[in-house]
Amino acid sequence: MHMTVLPVGLRLPMGLIFFCLAWNVSAAQQSLEPTPETALGPEYSSDAQATTRLWAPGDPGQRLHLRGRVLASTGQPIANAQVQIWQADGAGAYHDDRYRASFQSSEDGGFRLTTALPGQYWGAKHIHVVVMHPDYAPLHTRILFKGDPYLDEAVHGDLAVSLEEVHMEGSPVLLGGVELVMRPLNGN
């Protein structure tokens, strides 16, 4: 996974923050390794709300803005990929009706998610992700976070993203980015 961060303490309007989280546009010229697979986990449910905003004022934990892209191993964006996300809330609890989302990637393969940094739940903090598209093998993976004391970098370091803290509307917010690379159905 690749990511770009902003300097600590930088104060920018929301739209500009997401604009500044742009990544290397030359990715389309590169060959990328598919994102490593992980197990679905016991909390998976295909019944997720169609949203990209999971965090709500008053929720436990720190607000997290993730910007991502779904890419082919050629670096080309994958439009209209179905992305499912589920995670523990900021206190480390799973819920049947909260912190579960389903959405499609945009024409440039992009997506944005507003959530909470997951609380500690059985190992490293993580967000489960399933990505599906008719031309690609389904991807089951997790987003992990660098600096988590429970993260085993030797085993799952390639799934971990860096987060940067900024202040928005007087509150600290974490920013991060992720690229999810899918394998074509033919396995090449």
Side-chain angles (χ1 to χ4, degrees), residues 81-156:
Q82 186 65 37
V83 181
Q84 294 179 341
I85 302 278
W86 69 101
Q87 68 174 83
D89 67 14
Y94 277 90
H95 305 274
D96 290 336
D97 60 345
R98 291 286 320 276
Y99 285 94
R100 298 173 186 275
S102 181
F103 50 87
Q104 286 190 326
S105 63
S106 64
E107 288 301 313
D108 68 354
F111 64 88
R112 295 177 182 162
L113 177 70
T114 301
T115 188
L117 179 66
Q120 209 68 51
Y121 177 88
W122 196 73
K125 296 176 182 183
H126 58 279
I127 297 175
H128 295 275
V129 182
V130 171
V131 186
M132 293 176 285
H133 188 279
D135 298 331
Y136 296 87
L139 172 62
H140 305 138
T141 193
R142 292 184 286 168
I143 300 170
L144 303 168
F145 305 97
K146 292 186 185 222
D148 185 327
Y150 293 96
L151 175 65
D152 183 346
E153 289 273 350
V155 177
H156 294 296

Side-chain angles (χ1 to χ4, degrees), residues 13 24 37 40 45 47 51 53 58-59 79 82 87 97 110 115 121 123-124 155 162 177 180 186 188:
N24 185 351
E37 300 267 342
L40 278 178
S45 169
D47 186 30
T51 186
R53 185 169 182 85
D59 282 358
Q82 186 65 37
Q87 68 174 83
D97 60 345
T115 188
Y121 177 88
V155 177
S162 296
L180 302 167
N186 65 11
N188 295 332

